[in-house]
């Protein structure tokens, strides 16, 4: 009778204290690993929830990285946990006009707090930069070329290949120091956050031309006789197809003479179809030894004295 008075018919059937309702039993959730009740493929990974959050849950990161497929487990009363969370969130929403997921951290804020969410977001945004120099010949910078670069990189994301071929578009007229950036193609420092690769154009020394901005400089060595009497000279240009610029000089030149041929310099990358100038200078070789008396007389005879030249 005492049992009936205290526990009713259920107590009599159970022979004593009846079992607690199933709603009070602890639940186990396993996500991301492929098994377990309530768990779907994907989900969170790399975290183990066990106690300390509302309802007895806590967050623990394995090495600070998300490893897809690793899964996490939750122990506690989910009804109390989510009821408390959404109840409090709804109260804040009604009082302050907030969304239950307001804040900069989203789910990270829910798991780690507002400061943790912001720190995680800023950490992901601070991807480092890897800089590589790319030597290019003057012909490549004149005509343009696509350079293929095979890179080997560290990858933490399973479907991200460790090797990749990057294509660098070298446009006609690119200058030394031009930077070509491939965002997120370098080593992966954490899943979803990878280095940027920046390729910097470096110009190789050329055997005939010297580049200054959009102009090409070409220097011709001459004997003094050719400098005085005139000469013909063929200049092999930088085009892919062989092209020669013929210089037919009839008047005397000196070491300070400059000849400018418009439109025969480097392409201007920001102005397609336009080029800089070809600037020609001369290096006249004078005799290094004293002339004989006979040679001096012949030179003087060839260039009669001008009375106006005397002071």
């Amino acid at each position: 009778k005492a049992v009936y008075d205290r526990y009713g018919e259920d107590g009599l059937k159970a022979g004593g204290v009846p079992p607690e309702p199933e709603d009070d039993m602890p639940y186990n959730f396993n996500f991301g690993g492929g098994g377990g009740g309530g768990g779907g493929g994907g989900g969170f990974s790399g975290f183990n929830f066990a106690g300390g959050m509302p309802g007895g849950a806590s967050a623990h990161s394995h090495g600070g990285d998300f490893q897809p497929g690793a899964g996490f487990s939750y122990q506690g009363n989910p009804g109390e946990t989510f009821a408390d969370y959404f109840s409090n969130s709804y109260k804040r929403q009604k009082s302050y006009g907030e969304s239950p997921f307001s804040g900069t951290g989203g789910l990270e804020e829910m798991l780690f707090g507002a400061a943790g969410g912001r720190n995680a977001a800023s950490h992901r945004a601070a991807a480092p930069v890897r800089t590589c120099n790319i030597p290019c010949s003057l012909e490549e910078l004149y005509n343009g070329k696509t350079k293929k670069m095979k890179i080997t990189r560290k990858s933490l994301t399973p479907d991200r290949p460790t090797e990749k071929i990057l294509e660098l578009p070298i446009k006609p007229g690119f200058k030394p120091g031009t930077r070509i950036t491939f965002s997120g193609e370098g080593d992966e420092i954490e899943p979803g956050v990878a280095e940027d690769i920046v390729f910097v154009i470096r110009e190789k020394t050329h055997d005939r031309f010297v580049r200054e901005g959009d102009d090409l400089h070409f220097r011709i060595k001459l004997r003094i006789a050719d400098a005085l009497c005139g000469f013909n000279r063929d200049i092999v240009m930088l085009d892919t197809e062989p092209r020669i610029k013929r210089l037919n000089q009839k008047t005397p030149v000196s070491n300070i003479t400059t000849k400018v041929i418009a439109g025969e310099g480097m392409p201007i990358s920001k102005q397609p179809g336009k080029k800089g100038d070809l600037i020609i200078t001369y290096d006249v070789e004078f005799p290094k030894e004293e002339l004989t008396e006979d040679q001096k007389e012949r030179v003087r005879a060839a260039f009669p004295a001008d009375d106006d030249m005397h002071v």
Side-chain angles (χ1 to χ4, degrees):
K1 186 176 186 303
V3 172
Y4 180 82
D5 292 339
R6 187 169 183 180
Y7 300 110
E9 186 177 353
D10 289 339
L12 291 176
K13 291 180 180 179
V17 180
E20 295 292 332
E22 290 186 0
D23 286 345
D24 293 334
M25 296 291 288
Y27 284 75
N28 258 328
F29 292 90
N30 294 295
F31 299 87
F44 299 111
S45 56
F47 285 87
N48 177 26
F49 294 83
M53 285 181 66
S58 69
H60 174 70
S61 171
H62 299 291
D65 294 330
F66 286 89
Q67 300 295 334
F72 73 83
S73 62
Y74 168 84
Q75 294 178 349
N77 188 319
E80 292 180 2
T81 301
F82 289 97
D84 290 344
Y85 177 78
F86 284 104
S87 174
N88 292 335
S89 297
Y90 181 70
K91 291 175 183 178
R92 292 198 306 271
Q93 181 183 6
K94 292 187 65 176
S95 301
Y96 305 104
E98 297 176 358
S99 162
F101 293 99
S102 63
T104 59
L107 186 58
E108 290 166 343
E109 182 175 324
M110 171 185 171
L111 301 179
F112 304 106
R118 286 192 294 271
N119 291 339
S122 62
H123 178 64
R124 286 199 308 270
V129 176
R130 179 70 60 90
T131 302
C132 305
N133 291 327
I134 300 298
C136 296
S137 67
L138 199 54
E139 284 84 356
E140 291 172 338
L141 297 176
Y142 182 90
N143 296 290
K145 183 177 181 178
T146 298
K147 282 183 173 284
K148 294 184 178 181
M149 310 297 295
K150 182 178 181 180
I151 62 170
T152 302
R153 60 195 182 178
K154 181 192 300 181
S155 291
L156 302 177
T157 304
D159 58 351
R160 186 175 187 260
T162 58
E163 292 186 348
K164 187 172 184 179
I165 295 178
L166 302 179
E167 294 188 350
L168 279 65
I170 310 297
K171 295 184 179 180
F174 266 8
K175 296 179 180 179
T178 300
R179 300 165 70 89
I180 303 173
T181 301
F182 290 84
S183 298
E185 294 291 359
D187 286 344
E188 199 169 20
I189 58 175
E190 64 179 67
V193 180
E195 298 174 326
D196 292 345
I197 300 180
V198 178
F199 293 99
V200 182
I201 301 299
R202 301 301 182 194
E203 184 180 293
K204 296 180 182 178
T205 302
H206 200 266
D207 61 346
R208 301 192 309 277
F209 296 98
V210 174
R211 180 183 185 179
E212 288 188 5
D214 298 321
D215 297 331
L216 287 174
H217 290 254
F218 188 85
R219 192 166 184 83
I220 299 176
K221 288 188 175 182
L222 294 171
R223 299 179 307 156
I224 189 171
D226 293 331
L228 293 173
C229 301
F231 60 91
N232 295 323
R233 186 62 55 91
D234 290 341
I235 304 174
V236 181
M237 303 303 290
L238 297 170
D239 303 72
T240 303
E241 296 295 327
R243 185 170 70 91
I244 293 175
K245 190 69 179 178
R246 174 157 293 181
L247 186 63
N248 185 10
Q249 184 68 32
K250 295 183 178 180
T251 58
V253 298
S254 70
N255 288 334
I256 62 172
T257 303
T258 299
K259 184 177 183 68
V260 177
I261 303 178
E264 288 292 351
M266 290 293 293
I268 302 175
S269 60
K270 295 182 180 180
Q271 301 179 47
K274 293 188 177 182
K275 294 182 180 180
D277 299 333
L278 174 62
I279 301 173
I280 300 172
T281 55
Y282 306 96
D283 183 6
V284 180
E285 296 181 347
F286 285 82
K288 294 181 175 60
E289 298 178 356
E290 184 181 359
L291 300 178
T292 65
E293 290 299 323
D294 182 57
Q295 290 173 328
K296 292 177 182 179
E297 288 298 327
R298 291 182 181 182
V299 171
R300 291 191 178 98
F303 301 98
D306 189 342
D307 292 339
D308 294 337
M309 296 285 293
H310 298 284
V311 179

